Amino acid sequence: MKKIVVLISGQGTNLQAIMDACKAGKINAQVAAVISNKADAYGLIRAKNSGIPTAVFERKNYADNSQMDRAISDYIDGIAADLIVLAGYMKILTVGFTRHFAGKILNIHPSLLPKYPGLNTYQKAIEAGDSEHGTTVHFVNEKMDGGAVILQAKVPIFPDDRIEDVEERVKIQELQIYPLVVKWFVDGRLKEAGGKAYLDGQLLAENGYAAE
């Protein structure tokens, strides 16, 4: 059975969805560990309640970001993880880390990439007058939110929406598509090569998989 390591910084709702999918047998893998850069992240409690090992790596305990990421990398190597899942991990990974695990790191970002990388995506979409927003699951590379797109989900933005309204719609979609993409990877259907994403041997479009 393949091993997944999940990196979090906060509530861990996507973590919970992935743990639930593994427990139900929908994903043929186990969450082998949950790592956080925040000691008070609620996702750590979720993991402990499920009997999953946890580890905390705080920036203040390391000389620089590279040293911290090397420590995390060594921990993950010790587990022999097959996949690293970023689920609300609010720290930019170093180049050394992303290169070491190239093709094995997934992230979910609350926008329709390449639109709105970085923070405050809901506010940006509303302020721009967009009629839709969404979320993107992508491979992680050296560029922030710049890896190959795998799958996107769109939600509408209505004229009287607040940020919280759009965020709630996006979160519902995230909890559906992230476990699905993890399953694709675990089942050997999803791969990254040459900076591109492939599903069942077919090159995915720039905006990821889209059902006919």
Side-chain angles (χ1 to χ4, degrees):
M1 183 174 287
K2 291 187 176 179
K3 298 177 181 179
I4 301 170
V5 170
V6 183
L7 275 61
I8 63 166
S9 295
Q11 290 295 308
T13 51
N14 281 307
L15 163 67
Q16 188 68 59
I18 292 167
M19 291 192 303
D20 290 346
C22 290
K23 185 176 180 180
K26 295 178 181 178
I27 298 174
N28 187 28
Q30 61 171 322
V31 177
V34 173
I35 295 171
S36 179
N37 65 324
K38 303 288 186 182
D40 60 351
Y42 184 70
L44 293 171
I45 296 175
R46 294 179 186 271
K48 289 173 183 175
N49 287 343
S50 297
I52 295 171
T54 62
V56 174
F57 295 84
E58 293 182 294
R59 175 63 180 82
K60 65 182 181 182
N61 296 323
Y62 299 90
D64 53 32
N65 289 326
S66 293
Q67 187 184 89
M68 176 176 168
D69 278 5
R70 281 196 298 271
I72 296 173
S73 177
D74 289 344
Y75 180 85
I76 294 172
D77 284 340
I79 294 171
D82 299 286
L83 175 64
I84 300 163
V85 174
L86 308 183
Y89 187 63
M90 303 301 290
K91 183 180 179 299
I92 296 174
L93 296 170
T94 57
V95 171
F97 187 96
T98 58
R99 287 180 178 174
H100 183 67
F101 295 110
K104 295 173 61 176
I105 314 174
L106 299 177
N107 184 44
I108 192 162
H109 179 73
S111 80
L112 299 172
L113 291 172
K115 205 171 191 179
Y116 309 134
L119 302 175
N120 305 315
T121 66
Y122 301 103
Q123 181 178 343
K124 290 174 182 175
I126 290 175
E127 290 178 350
D130 292 352
S131 61
E132 65 180 13
H133 196 52
T135 186
T136 301
V137 181
H138 64 95
F139 280 106
V140 173
N141 63 10
E142 299 166 17
K143 182 180 177 182
M144 183 179 66
D145 301 324
V149 172
I150 301 162
L151 184 63
Q152 295 184 325
K154 297 179 180 179
V155 302
I157 299 178
F158 300 112
D160 59 346
D161 271 341
R162 301 167 300 161
I163 288 176
E164 294 79 12
D165 299 320
V166 184
E167 188 173 2
E168 184 176 353
R169 286 186 209 116
V170 168
K171 179 56 67 177
I172 291 170
Q173 295 300 317
E174 285 188 347
L175 298 177
Q176 298 297 317
I177 71 170
Y178 213 4
L180 174 61
V181 172
V182 171
K183 175 178 171 58
W184 287 349
F185 187 96
V186 168
D187 289 347
R189 298 179 58 194
L190 174 67
K191 297 184 183 300
E192 189 267 356
K196 305 290 185 181
Y198 294 81
L199 183 65
D200 297 329
Q202 300 296 311
L203 175 64
L204 293 178
E206 287 189 4
N207 62 341
Y209 174 81
E212 295 295 337

